[in-house]
């Protein structure tokens, strides 16, 4: 019996370790804001297509995982013959939608996230006061054969620089920027509701700090 218990705990520990490594690998590097990247004078201009651009999100708590989308409303990029050089886009926080629920449950969660519930405006994104978030490119590098996009992400009053892997496809008339799923720590932007790293004695009534994101940005030559 003792041998079986030891074996069980070893397997459990390895499972936790593997999961932790996976989460760390997919976590965006977060630092203080940096200076925005400037365009070359010979670069071409591209405008974000708001009908095709979207951010997919996933949030978790012990009892549930919720998913949804946020619209990208505008933005512009400059590009050379092969890739982007500079750019920015605007995220419409009022467009937050929940995709895994229906009816009243869906409406209630969307209202809580947007901060349109009286007395709970500041729990998450408080879209009445902060209707937009922004992302501004600060760097584009390569790591292990993968393009790494860095930029200043502003949510509410706070700006942090994040870096995450992307795929950039450029043809004559269009730029397609897409990422695999990566995560950010919402408490870096002081979105602290239900966070065990901020509040004590929450028990199982907490929300995980990490928000998983996946971006899809389409920009057309202007």
């Amino acid at each position: 019996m003792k041998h079986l218990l030891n074996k069980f705990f070893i397997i459990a520990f390895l499972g936790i370790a593997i999961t932790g490594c996976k989460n760390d690998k997919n976590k965006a590097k977060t630092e203080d804001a940096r200076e925005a990247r400037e365009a070359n004078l010979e670069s071409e201009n591209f405008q974000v297509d708001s009908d095709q651009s979207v951010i997919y999100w996933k949030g978790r708590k012990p009892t549930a995982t919720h998913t949804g989308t946020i619209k990208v409303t505008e933005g512009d990029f400059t590009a050379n013959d092969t890739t982007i050089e500079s750019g920015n886009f605007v995220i419409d926080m009022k467009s937050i939608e929940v995709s895994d629920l229906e009816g009243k449950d869906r409406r209630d969660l969307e209202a809580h996230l947007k901060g349109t519930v009286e007395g709970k405006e500041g729990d998450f994104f408080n879209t009445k006061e902060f209707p937009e978030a922004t992302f501004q490119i600060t760097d584009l590098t390569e790591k292990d054969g993968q393009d790494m996009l860095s930029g200043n992400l502003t949510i509410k009053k706070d700006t942090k620089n994040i870096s995450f892997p992307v795929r950039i496809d450029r043809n004559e008339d269009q730029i397609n920027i897409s990422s695999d799923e990566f995560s950010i720590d919402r408490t870096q932007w002081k979105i602290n509701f239900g966070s065990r790293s901020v509040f004590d004695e929450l028990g199982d009534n907490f929300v995980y700090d990490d928000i998983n994101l996946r971006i899809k940005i389409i920009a057309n030559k202007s």
Side-chain angles (χ1 to χ4, degrees), residues 40-85:
N40 189 301
L41 292 176
E42 298 179 356
S43 300
E44 297 178 303
N45 295 318
F46 292 76
Q47 297 293 318
V48 167
D49 185 337
S50 59
D51 291 331
Q52 299 189 70
S53 300
V54 65
I55 297 174
Y56 300 92
W57 63 265
K58 180 191 297 181
R60 297 185 304 121
K61 58 183 180 179
T63 57
T65 296
H66 297 298
T67 59
T69 59
I70 314 174
K71 294 180 180 179
V72 176
T73 54
E74 59 181 287
D76 57 78
F77 296 91
T78 60
N80 56 33
D81 291 338
T82 57
T83 189
I84 58 175
E85 292 190 337

Side-chain angles (χ1 to χ4, degrees), residues 24-219:
D24 289 343
K25 181 180 178 182
N26 294 336
K27 193 160 189 169
K29 183 179 179 181
T30 304
E31 300 177 326
D32 290 336
R34 298 179 182 175
E35 186 176 348
R37 186 171 180 171
E38 295 184 1
N40 189 301
L41 292 176
E42 298 179 356
S43 300
E44 297 178 303
N45 295 318
F46 292 76
Q47 297 293 318
V48 167
D49 185 337
S50 59
D51 291 331
Q52 299 189 70
S53 300
V54 65
I55 297 174
Y56 300 92
W57 63 265
K58 180 191 297 181
R60 297 185 304 121
K61 58 183 180 179
T63 57
T65 296
H66 297 298
T67 59
T69 59
I70 314 174
K71 294 180 180 179
V72 176
T73 54
E74 59 181 287
D76 57 78
F77 296 91
T78 60
N80 56 33
D81 291 338
T82 57
T83 189
I84 58 175
E85 292 190 337
S86 66
N88 64 85
F89 56 85
V90 177
I91 306 161
D92 179 9
M93 301 305 292
K94 295 183 295 184
S95 72
I96 294 173
E97 291 188 354
V98 175
S99 59
D100 65 292
L101 299 174
E102 295 181 354
K104 185 177 184 301
D105 290 339
R106 176 176 179 171
R107 292 192 298 272
D108 287 349
L109 180 54
E110 288 176 348
H112 194 191
L113 293 173
K114 294 176 185 178
T116 57
V117 180
E118 186 175 355
K120 297 184 177 182
E121 292 85 354
D123 283 358
F124 288 100
F125 299 105
N126 195 0
T127 60
K128 288 184 177 180
E129 187 173 351
F130 305 101
E132 295 177 342
T134 60
F135 182 87
Q136 187 171 39
I137 293 175
T138 59
D139 206 359
L140 181 63
T141 58
E142 185 177 312
K143 181 179 180 180
D144 300 328
Q146 175 75 64
D147 286 327
M148 298 294 295
L149 183 64
S150 299
N152 293 329
L153 176 61
T154 300
I155 304 175
K156 298 167 81 170
K157 293 181 179 180
D158 293 284
T159 302
K160 294 290 182 179
N161 192 274
I162 63 172
S163 301
F164 53 93
V166 294
R167 292 177 299 279
I168 301 174
D169 297 316
R170 159 79 205 272
N171 60 40
E172 185 176 350
D173 298 319
Q174 191 175 82
I175 293 172
N176 185 333
I177 305 171
S178 60
S179 77
D180 290 332
E181 191 173 272
F182 64 95
S183 67
I184 61 172
D185 179 351
R186 61 189 173 93
T187 64
Q188 293 286 316
W189 289 265
K190 297 184 178 65
I191 303 166
N192 296 330
F193 177 80
S195 169
R196 287 191 300 179
S197 65
V198 178
F199 303 105
D200 296 327
E201 300 180 359
L202 292 175
D204 291 333
N205 190 27
F206 68 91
V207 180
Y208 288 100
D209 290 347
D210 284 352
I211 301 174
N212 288 16
L213 303 172
R214 181 166 61 87
I215 69 168
K216 175 188 173 185
I217 306 293
I218 304 294

